[in-house]
Amino acid sequence: MKKYIITIFAGMLMASCMNDFDTIQVSTNAYTADSIAPPTTTISSLLSKYASTISNSAYQAITEDVIIEGVVTGNDISGNIYQVVYIQPLGTDGMVDIQKPGISVGIKGYGALYTLFPIGQKLRINLKGLYIGGYGALPKIGQPYININGALRLGPMNANYTKTNIMKVDKPNPDCIKVRQLTSSDLASSNISNVTPMLVCVENCEIDDAGQPFAVTEYMENNETYSVEHIVKLSDGGRLTLYTSTSASFAGDTIPSGKLTLYGILSRYSSTYQLQLRSKDDVIIQQQ
């Protein structure tokens, strides 16, 4: 009888230990810096200083402490955005400043950046040891890499830099997110550097190719399609390219017809505006 009781007690201990183990939460703070000094400049000032480098899709090393702050407005939660988080400046009211563009922060080595850097998370970034430049003239922080053609391009930083160069400030605050309502006048070619990258909203719009998937992988001889583009027609007559990765979780979903409200990151490649949905939740079907 004693042996039976001891066996049961041992089993209870094991079950208790297993339950405790299952509920352990791993802090994502272990992957970011504990402390970084206050900002030394603003995102806007940084973009102005390196405007020529960015517009020429070149890059430049930062060799001294240059510290910026911004809040995350876009990440890789659906796979449509890859190895990048977008940050934008905050205004004096603590809300996203919709009159100023942000910057893309390239990071590789993590399978889910959105768990580290959710929407509304304020980041303080020390650029020392990193590079600033342009990818298709879009402002970016990262590191150089050699592409398949042997050319040097600005890509994402290695994961270990998040432990030394990026600090999370306070807890995520999605309530600080403001969105710029996009109009055709915003999409003037002369305005592209003033509004990219930026979280925007397009109301009363329609997407060409309704009824087709957002993106599907198409295999052709010696070629693989990694993204698909569709045209968004604005209510005031403007047009915008919707860029969707074939790796997005909603890539095979059907493009809805009728009037829509779209949210997403307004980006660019060279002189072409691109809208990237952060997830399928950024597509809202309006009541007919």
Side-chain angles (χ1 to χ4, degrees):
M1 178 64 72
K2 288 184 178 180
K3 183 178 180 180
Y4 179 69
I5 293 173
I6 291 172
T7 302
I8 293 175
F9 183 65
M12 292 174 63
L13 283 175
M14 183 177 292
S16 175
C17 290
M18 289 178 67
N19 289 336
D20 288 343
F21 178 80
D22 289 344
T23 59
I24 290 176
Q25 299 295 317
V26 178
S27 173
T28 57
N29 291 332
Y31 301 96
T32 53
D34 293 328
S35 178
I36 291 179
T40 62
T41 189
T42 64
I43 293 175
S44 297
S45 295
L46 185 74
L47 297 181
S48 177
K49 180 176 181 179
Y50 294 96
S52 177
T53 300
I54 294 168
S55 63
N56 289 322
S57 293
Y59 54 82
Q60 187 169 333
I62 305 295
T63 58
E64 55 188 21
D65 292 317
V66 177
I67 302 170
I68 59 172
E69 266 190 1
V71 66
V72 177
T73 55
N75 57 31
D76 63 352
I77 192 167
S78 74
N80 196 37
I81 293 171
Y82 180 61
Q83 293 186 338
V84 166
V85 294
Y86 291 96
I87 63 171
Q88 290 180 231
L90 293 169
T92 56
D93 59 356
M95 304 293 288
V96 169
D97 188 342
I98 61 174
Q99 301 303 321
K100 297 176 180 177
I103 193 167
S104 62
V105 183
I107 305 168
K108 66 180 179 180
Y110 295 115
L113 283 173
Y114 70 91
T115 61
L116 285 174
F117 307 120
I119 300 298
Q121 177 65 64
K122 185 192 292 187
L123 301 182
R124 186 175 296 171
I125 305 176
N126 189 341
L127 304 184
K128 185 176 182 179
L130 300 174
Y131 292 73
I132 183 170
Y135 182 84
L138 182 76
K140 185 169 187 173
I141 296 166
Q143 290 180 306
Y145 76 103
I146 301 175
N147 67 12
I148 59 175
N149 297 317
L152 280 167
R153 295 288 184 268
L154 184 60
M157 71 180 80
N158 291 321
N160 59 296
Y161 279 93
T162 66
K163 299 180 182 180
T164 56
N165 290 64
I166 300 179
M167 173 187 170
K168 295 196 284 190
V169 181
D170 302 324
K171 294 182 179 180
N173 178 24
D175 292 337
C176 78
I177 303 299
K178 287 177 66 177
V179 181
R180 181 168 179 147
Q181 302 290 329
L182 197 67
T183 65
S184 292
S185 60
D186 291 321
L187 299 177
S189 58
S190 60
N191 198 41
I192 194 166
S193 295
N194 298 324
V195 291
T196 59
M198 181 182 292
L199 179 61
V200 299
C201 173
V202 187
E203 295 183 327
N204 298 313
C205 65
E206 296 182 73
I207 304 176
D208 278 357
D209 304 323
Q212 300 298 314
F214 281 93
V216 291
T217 304
E218 301 171 0
Y219 292 95
M220 296 171 284
E221 186 176 357
N222 299 322
N223 184 41
E224 182 178 349
T225 299
Y226 295 101
S227 62
V228 175
E229 297 179 352
H230 302 284
I231 299 299
V232 178
K233 296 183 290 188
L234 280 65
S235 59
D236 58 0
R239 288 175 172 262
L240 175 64
T241 299
L242 179 67
Y243 176 96
T244 306
S245 168
T246 56
S247 298
S249 60
F250 58 89
D253 291 358
T254 300
I255 296 174
S257 59
K259 297 294 184 180
L260 307 171
T261 295
L262 301 179
Y263 291 84
I265 299 296
L266 184 63
S267 182
R268 69 183 292 181
Y269 189 78
S270 189
S271 60
T272 301
Y273 283 98
Q274 294 180 334
L275 181 68
Q276 282 184 278
L277 304 175
R278 298 166 301 171
S279 73
K280 184 65 178 297
D281 292 339
D282 279 341
V283 181
I284 300 173
I285 302 174
Q286 298 181 1
Q287 295 294 328
Q288 303 298 321

